[in-house]
Amino acid sequence: MEIRALKGTKDIFGEEMRKWLDMEETIRNLCNDFGFSQIRTPIFEFTNLFQRGVGETTDIVQKEMYSFVDKGDNAITLKPESTAPVVRSYLEHNMGADVQPIKLYYMSPTFRYERPQAGRQRQFHQFGVEMFGTDSPTADAEIISIGYELLRRIGLNKVELHINSLGDTECRKKYNETLKAFLESKKDGLCPLCNERREKNPLRVLDCKNEACQEMFKDAPTVLDTLGDECKAHFEKVQELLTAMEIPFVVDPKIVRGLDYYTKTVFEFVSNEIGAQGTVCGGGRYNCLVEEIGGKPTPAVGFGAGMERLILAKEAENGNTLPPATRDLFLGYRGEGATVWAYKLVNELRKEGVSAESDHLQRSVKAQMKYANKIGAKYSAIIGESELENKVINLKNMQTGEEKEVAFDELVTVMKQELNK
Ligand code: ATP
Ligand code: MG
């Protein structure tokens, strides 16, 4: 049998890997500018963390988790999102006792058993941010502004920000009643899953992917109508802050998000450039989750962004903007005696941070120069018989074609000078 990678998974290497490293660097710099520090939680957790944290009636828990029993009879799940693990870690390490807010970000493989298609995989990667310990609308606005700034830095202009408020438990309770009544009146036309969820989790019903259902939800009552004074003021302040930060948005009462833990502000950044799977980033406030997972009531807000979709959207809008890969020097050789010198010099260069390569395949000089071009060498030289005798090489600038003689023991110094020009 031919062994292949699993459906919905991808190997990342070569040019594609360079795009990933570039995106990761952008994200690290971004988070540093916003004062967020990185957290890495394990790839797997006890299954009940997600059952409790993500919610029993969500698509993720009902249909998408990679769950298994390990050899010690533990029920384990590959993380389908990272917020619940980060909350678990926040509690386990008593971060609540530290100065608040706690501002964390992650980049993590994420696993969901879904039907693979463009922008939808079974192992994908999420970049996310979480801020704990404050209910201030400034925190919501700061979280949204990180997403916006990321999209600005990677040159995505054709992305829309949709925001909504789901209210707190009080407003939600009221809204759930109104919504249940509305859904009851539509029950004959709803899909079986919606009818199943209608009573237990009416809000989740609005997130159904079925078009016929969505059509019916057009005139559903909106949660914004049932917001209490405090939630209304909070939502207005978030909007005022976004406006002041010159972040354009539309209020979209249809945004309910696919996870149970959200309260108050929710939002999505949607790209129109990458087809049906256009949501590149989604998040919101989740003031009940920390308590749900066993901690003291702790307000929190965050988002998750699909890194595959960010990379796709960036390329769709701007093409490949990465400069080609380069190497500082290719130092080839001809003849047995030159081999040792080539590797001795290459090693000295590398110790000084000059990227250098030589030949491993006993290729002809012509083939070695072809290789030098392929790796994007800025400079090249070949150690032949006379070079070996005089301990001098002809260093060629591959761009201008200029050549100059450089003694072996001057090579490191000269290369460093040349590269600093
Ligand atoms: P969708 O409605 O597209 O399924 P979601 O609501 O399930 O998205 P979230 O749980 O909010 O998504 O995850 C945050 C982000 O992670 C999404 O906006 C998307 O960019 C990305 N994402 C989610 N699922 C996948 C997947 N299977 N493959 C690639 N990216 C994904
Ligand atoms: Mg999904």
Side-chain angles (χ1 to χ4, degrees), residues 59-60 64 112 114 120 209:
D59 276 352
I60 292 182
E64 298 173 356
R112 293 184 193 176
E114 307 197 65
R120 193 175 290 287
K209 296 258 154 55

Side-chain angles (χ1 to χ4, degrees), residues 144-159:
I144 293 173
S145 70
I146 302 176
Y148 186 76
E149 177 59 11
L150 172 63
L151 302 179
R152 198 190 65 78
R153 288 189 190 190
I154 65 176
L156 297 192
N157 297 308
K158 294 176 193 144
V159 174

